[in-house]
Amino acid sequence: MGGVVLMLWVLGHQGGAQVLGSVFAGAAAVQRGAVMIRDMVHGRWGVDILALTAIVSTVAVGEYIAALIVVLMLYGGSALEDYATARAKGELSALLDRVPQTAHREQPGGKLEDVAATQIVPGDVLVLRPAEVVPVDGRLLSAAGSFDESAITGESLPVELVRGGSVLSGSGNGAAAVRLAATAAAEHSQYSRIVALVRVAAASGAPVVRLADRYAVPFTVLGLVLGGVAWLISGQALRFAEVLVVATPCPLLIAAPWHFSAA
């Protein structure tokens, strides 16, 4: 839509460009305002309050180009935030998909039984078949073993262990079956703690996002007060719109979700 408005403006149809740009910006403000009101009812306040006020005021005084720029920043930030949220959910799903649901527990006499990973207790002897994921933290009982710990430590090369070495849950067994003794239950193992930390991080958001939301209300009040003073002193509504456009934290609308998506 912005491209159409720009084309009309370049071709000399300023009137059509203004009408189209104003209608588009107004519709965007109405749509975003509905979302904002719903969030406010649930106690969530964001940095887009001032941006919406700036859009409405610039459209009202005929400064449709400024309104479109604020709309671009506002929806660009939302798109980045949606992307970051989807990526975080995807990464969490990938972690959860690696969590073993069963394990091969060795019984007296060497017989194996398949049990739920949550039933494993410290001291249980487990047998890992080739390429299986380690269900709990353990101590290697076999003479040697090779484990892929890239999902935990990021190290791409396999880790070679000898008897007595510590085996991390979530690591992948190599090409040979090995025996290990569980040293922790599933919920207290390394991989479960990593999954729990990722859940908390995904739910809480990046620090810069929380900081932006914390100061959204006082910053909005300050911007409105300054805009009102400028209008009162000058006697021109245009000054109110100009102050709001300057005060609108457009870089923050982009920077906060960008920081979150890059984290």
Side-chain angles (χ1 to χ4, degrees), residues 82-106:
D82 291 341
Y83 164 75
T85 301
R87 196 185 73 169
K89 289 182 178 179
E91 291 176 351
L92 180 58
S93 297
L95 284 174
L96 293 174
D97 289 342
R98 281 184 52 83
V99 176
Q101 302 301 315
T102 60
H104 314 300
R105 184 165 59 187
E106 188 175 282

Side-chain angles (χ1 to χ4, degrees), residues 15 47-48 82-83 102 104 114-115 133 140 169 187:
V47 295
D48 55 355
D82 291 341
Y83 164 75
T102 60
H104 314 300
D114 289 342
V115 298
V133 178
L140 187 62
S169 59
E187 63 269 22

Side-chain angles (χ1 to χ4, degrees), residues 148-170:
D148 177 9
E149 297 182 353
S150 58
I152 305 170
T153 64
E155 174 57 57
S156 58
L157 296 177
V159 176
E160 305 295 333
L161 298 178
V162 296
R163 182 180 288 113
S166 296
V167 182
L168 297 177
S169 59

